[in-house]
Amino acid sequence: MPESLPVWLIEQGIGEERAVLVEQGDIIAARLVWDEPWRPGAVAEARLVSRIPGTRRAVVRLPDGGEALGEGFDSALTEGQPIMVRVTRSAIAEKGRAKLPQVRPAAAGEAARPAPSLLEELSAGPYPVRSVPVHGRELAEAGWDDLVAEALTGEVAFAGGSLVVSPTPAMTLIDIDGPPPLPALALAAVPAIAAALRRFDIGGSVGIDFPSLAEKAQRRAVDEALADALAAAGWQGERTGMNGFGFVQLVSRLERPSLIARFARAPAAAAARRLLRMAERVAEPGTLLLTAHPAVRRAMRSQWEADLARRTGRSIQWHEDAGLALGATFAQAIAA
């Protein structure tokens, strides 16, 4: 196996599995799995709730009572009829609502099973996979903390400018900011855009707002550079050419929320999971003191606290501070 081959590093934390694809010491891709009940690859017996007239789409009820949006169903199926389905997309949380999981009919003979773990899923891919301890330094040394900081703000700096990545209900928007000359700024942004798609695990519809370029030759140069960068990054999907206003749209398969979408739409839950990771890495002896905003405490599930106590063998105390930002959590050891 070539030494230069990228490797997936996986940490199995409390309430969260995290993985980074590391190449020559840098993170080139990342994945997060929270404890969602229905993720791609899960197979379950559902019941058809209602059909969408004139289509092969329908709403189905999953075994836990939740609903999913299905497509590809035989028109002969009737409401209330059981059907084995395979989950193709996780639920996507949005402001004030959530997009339902998506399912398709399972293949003939498929039995019910849970979604593959992150370890199982990545092990089936082209790169080697290595599990690392949560209390270790491998992810931190690869740049995990910097990646999280970028995902929390949506801001990515590159030579000559910056990207601002924003999740919206319709698509992920990428805005480019920086000084002129604008053709050079647009070209400089291209590698950062291709890298951000992998680092933040961004799929689905993506709108890129490049600076407006007056000349067709300038727009064509950006289109060609973007096509090359996306191909080099292994991105697969469809892409429009840049229009006269500098807008480009990418469309690829969407299976799960991006890192940026997760942090933006569930900030307290994300902060709670980060606090758990910090707590597991505390090396000094003593009781664990968790300091956080009250919203983070409310987002912390009792089972997570129990898991933390069991995995660390420590008692846990809380200090809530409403003056803290959600992301300003801290874990430390104190004398019992």
Side-chain angles (χ1 to χ4, degrees), residues 182-198:
L182 298 184
L185 174 63
L187 287 171
V190 164
I193 292 168
L197 295 177
R198 294 189 77 190

Side-chain angles (χ1 to χ4, degrees), residues 204-236:
S205 183
V206 178
I208 308 172
D209 188 15
F210 283 99
S212 297
L213 303 178
E215 298 181 15
K216 288 185 178 179
Q218 296 171 339
R219 299 196 293 270
R220 185 166 56 250
V222 175
D223 283 337
E224 292 173 353
L226 183 60
D228 291 343
L230 292 174
W235 182 85
Q236 296 182 344

Side-chain angles (χ1 to χ4, degrees), residues 83-327:
I83 181 173
M84 296 297 292
V85 298
R86 171 189 284 270
V87 179
T88 59
R89 192 199 70 189
S90 301
I92 306 290
E94 294 180 345
K95 188 174 181 179
R97 69 185 186 112
K99 290 182 178 178
L100 295 175
Q102 289 187 351
V103 300
R104 293 188 64 88
E110 276 196 286
R113 64 176 181 272
S117 67
L118 188 56
L119 177 62
E120 292 170 336
E121 186 175 348
L122 295 178
S123 295
Y127 302 116
V129 179
R130 180 160 58 90
S131 292
V132 297
V134 175
H135 53 76
R137 296 289 304 169
E138 286 90 343
L139 264 68
E141 291 171 354
W144 173 259
D145 293 334
D146 290 338
L147 177 66
V148 170
E150 288 180 341
L152 284 169
T153 63
E155 297 180 9
V156 180
F158 62 88
S162 63
L163 309 177
V164 178
V165 186
S166 306
T168 77
M171 63 177 63
T172 300
L173 292 177
I174 301 178
D175 185 55
I176 297 159
D177 187 36
L182 298 184
L185 174 63
L187 287 171
V190 164
I193 292 168
L197 295 177
R198 294 189 77 190
R199 282 170 55 83
F200 298 136
D201 195 23
I202 298 173
S205 183
V206 178
I208 308 172
D209 188 15
F210 283 99
S212 297
L213 303 178
E215 298 181 15
K216 288 185 178 179
Q218 296 171 339
R219 299 196 293 270
R220 185 166 56 250
V222 175
D223 283 337
E224 292 173 353
L226 183 60
D228 291 343
L230 292 174
W235 182 85
Q236 296 182 344
E238 298 182 8
R239 174 182 59 87
T240 68
M242 182 186 292
N243 65 21
F245 300 100
F247 191 78
V248 173
Q249 186 173 2
L250 312 177
V251 180
S252 63
R253 187 174 180 179
L254 178 63
E255 294 186 338
R256 56 195 168 266
S258 68
L259 272 65
I260 288 179
R262 286 189 187 276
F263 295 162
R265 291 164 183 160
R273 288 172 167 91
R274 292 177 63 214
L275 180 57
L276 289 165
R277 182 176 188 269
M278 293 178 193
E280 285 201 82
R281 296 180 64 194
V282 172
E284 297 76 16
T287 296
L288 282 175
L289 177 64
L290 308 182
T291 300
H293 188 282
V296 177
R297 174 75 184 274
R298 292 193 298 271
M300 185 72 71
R301 301 178 190 173
S302 58
Q303 183 59 55
W304 295 349
E305 282 194 59
D307 289 343
L308 178 62
R310 176 182 55 80
R311 287 169 67 149
T312 62
R314 303 177 190 240
S315 299
I316 299 169
Q317 293 184 17
W318 279 90
H319 173 64
E320 298 182 36
D321 186 346
L324 291 176
L326 289 181

